[in-house]
Amino acid sequence: MRILVTGGAGFIGSNIADAFVARGDDVVVLDDLSTGREANVPRQARLEKHDIRSPGAQKVIATFRPDVLCHLAAQLDVRKSVADPAYDADVNVVGSLRLFESCRTAGTRRVLFSSTGGAIYGEQDVHPCDETHPERPVSPYGVAKLAVEKYLHYYSVVYGFKATCLRYANVYGPRQSPHGEAGVVAIFARKLLNGEVPVVNGDGAQTRDFVFVGDVVRANVLALEKDLTGSFNVGTGVETSVVQLYDAIRKAVGSDVLAKHAPAKLGEQMRSSLDASLLERRAGFRPRTPLDEGLRATVDYFRTSDV
């Protein structure tokens, strides 16, 4: 297949691009390298350096005419979305629509969209929650991701798109960026390896569902191979507190450094975990990587990486 991977120089996107290349697909990566790294792009893939909102991106789609759009490019930081909702919407909603319109014109009808679980559901009524849980996003980032899912439903009904929206839990693993405020596993690992003292916001009792990037890659490949349509959670169903996570990373690093605690971030979600049994029933997906194993692999990556 001809597959266009937007954000394919980034953390999750480059790992997915690797998997498509390994399948023998013809892969083009579309990435403006604002956060991605050219070194992450598979050698067998072609890199096109464009913002997804640009005429250059439209030209790539018109020329390449992909069979599949695997859409990961986004403004990823929830806190940035709160600080500048209009910018977040311009990238995540308007940018996505420009891609979909270009794909419609080019004849592309198959879309894999990287959505979000926790940010769409908001504070959950049940733990873990499945896809029938009310959608109550409390950040512009979550609102934007949900809006794109709804737009894809529109494109499916009106133009025959076949779209899979994968609602990720908190993804971690090799190539995750330790810079900025997103990506707590990478941030903690890099700081500990550098001999610095990590900071935990609040008491650290807030929980998340941490899913290894290799499992997320497999979910994307299965969604394509099983020709799935609709929205699917991708997570482990296991809640891990930030304090528990920090202790596990500290163990993987071999450090005895204790974290500092800072004031809690206003509006931060307290608990999040996703039930991925629908994806298991429909595609045979089940996460394979235990947290301790995934953290060791992530720490090993940072030991030898210059990121």
Side-chain angles (χ1 to χ4, degrees), residues 252-265:
V253 171
S255 172
D256 58 2
V257 173
L258 298 177
K260 294 188 298 186
H261 284 259
K265 295 289 184 180

Side-chain angles (χ1 to χ4, degrees), residues 2-140:
R2 296 187 305 278
I3 303 180
L4 179 68
V5 182
T6 70
F11 160 44
I12 303 174
S14 65
N15 280 284
I16 292 174
D18 282 344
F20 288 147
V21 165
R23 279 179 14 123
D25 296 311
D26 182 6
V27 177
V28 168
V29 165
L30 180 67
D31 199 304
D32 66 359
L33 301 183
S34 57
T35 57
R37 304 176 72 224
E38 190 166 354
N40 289 342
V41 178
R43 289 195 305 273
Q44 302 93 326
R46 186 173 88 246
L47 172 62
E48 294 282 354
K49 302 177 187 178
H50 299 284
D51 186 298
I52 59 172
R53 297 165 292 179
S54 70
Q58 297 169 27
K59 184 176 180 181
V60 169
I61 293 172
T63 303
F64 183 49
R65 301 180 68 84
D67 300 306
V68 180
L69 168 67
C70 183
H71 181 29
L72 297 102
Q75 191 296 113
L76 297 171
D77 195 320
V78 171
R79 291 168 188 164
K80 284 184 180 178
S81 79
V82 172
D84 194 346
Y87 175 74
D88 183 83
D90 190 46
V91 176
N92 290 349
V93 180
V94 176
S96 297
L97 288 174
R98 292 190 188 280
L99 291 174
F100 301 158
E101 279 296 288
S102 296
C103 284
R104 179 178 66 80
T105 303
T108 306
R109 294 294 183 271
R110 191 71 178 90
V111 179
L112 297 175
F113 174 55
S114 289
S115 189
T116 174
I120 276 182
Y121 298 124
E123 289 294 349
Q124 296 171 206
D125 299 328
V126 294
H127 300 271
C129 76
D130 65 17
E131 295 83 357
T132 65
H133 190 281
E135 297 153 343
R136 299 185 296 232
V138 292
S139 68

Side-chain angles (χ1 to χ4, degrees), residues 165-182:
C165 302
L166 296 174
R167 295 177 171 177
Y168 302 153
N170 282 59
V171 188
Y172 73 97
R175 300 181 190 163
Q176 187 173 32
S177 173
H179 307 296
E181 295 185 321

